[in-house]
């Protein structure tokens, strides 16, 4: 009983002054999507790629996206699809392998 777990928060940061887009990009404050289903879901907290593709656009084209809890690397797949570079950190060897495979397939 209680509240449904229906949202997650995004943490964004930069080292030094953030790079500015020309023209300026403003992402919506609320994004909706559902976790992948069936065989497309390879991680228990996997994010929708469509949402991650929007979020990585805050980094300029060619910019670097860091995900310190990479899981199955949906953020990395989205970053590559949107023309960004990616560094992912994952503590689970199983998910690190899954993430590497997904990144290789995306590249």
């Amino acid at each position: 009983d209680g509240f449904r777990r229906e949202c997650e928060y995004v943490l964004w940061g930069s080292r030094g002054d953030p790079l500015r887009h020309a023209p300026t990009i403003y992402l919506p404050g609320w994004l909706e999507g559902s976790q992948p289903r069936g065989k497309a879901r390879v991680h228990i907290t996997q994010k929708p790629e469509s949402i991650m593709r929007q979020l990585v656009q805050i980094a300029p084209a060619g910019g670097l996206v860091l995900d310190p809890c990479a899981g199955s690397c949906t953020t990395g797949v989205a970053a590559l699809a949107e023309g960004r570079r990616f560094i992912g950190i994952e503590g689970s060897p199983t998910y690190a392998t899954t993430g590497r495979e997904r990144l290789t397939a995306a590249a």
Side-chain angles (χ1 to χ4, degrees):
D1 294 336
F3 295 103
R4 290 172 43 183
R5 287 172 259 183
E6 289 190 330
C7 74
E8 294 189 34
Y9 298 95
V10 174
L11 175 64
W12 175 85
S14 69
R15 184 175 150 214
D17 290 336
L19 298 173
R20 300 292 179 205
H21 295 269
T24 303
I25 291 179
Y26 290 102
L27 296 178
W30 181 267
L31 300 169
E32 287 190 55
S34 296
Q35 285 184 322
R37 306 244 189 278
K39 292 182 181 187
R41 186 172 175 185
V42 294
H43 190 278
I44 192 166
T45 61
Q46 187 172 338
K47 309 302 180 263
E49 188 178 329
S50 60
I51 287 181
M52 299 315 295
R53 285 186 71 158
Q54 291 178 66
L55 291 176
V56 299
Q57 291 177 24
I58 198 69
L64 179 64
V65 174
L66 168 68
D67 187 348
C69 303
S72 61
C73 289
T74 301
T75 303
V77 170
L80 295 177
E82 294 296 327
R84 276 65 175 175
R85 296 172 296 132
F86 175 73
I87 295 175
I89 301 167
E90 177 51 49
S92 162
T94 300
Y95 287 129
T97 298
T98 299
R100 251 185 246 108
E101 291 169 356
R102 291 185 72 208
L103 290 170
T104 300

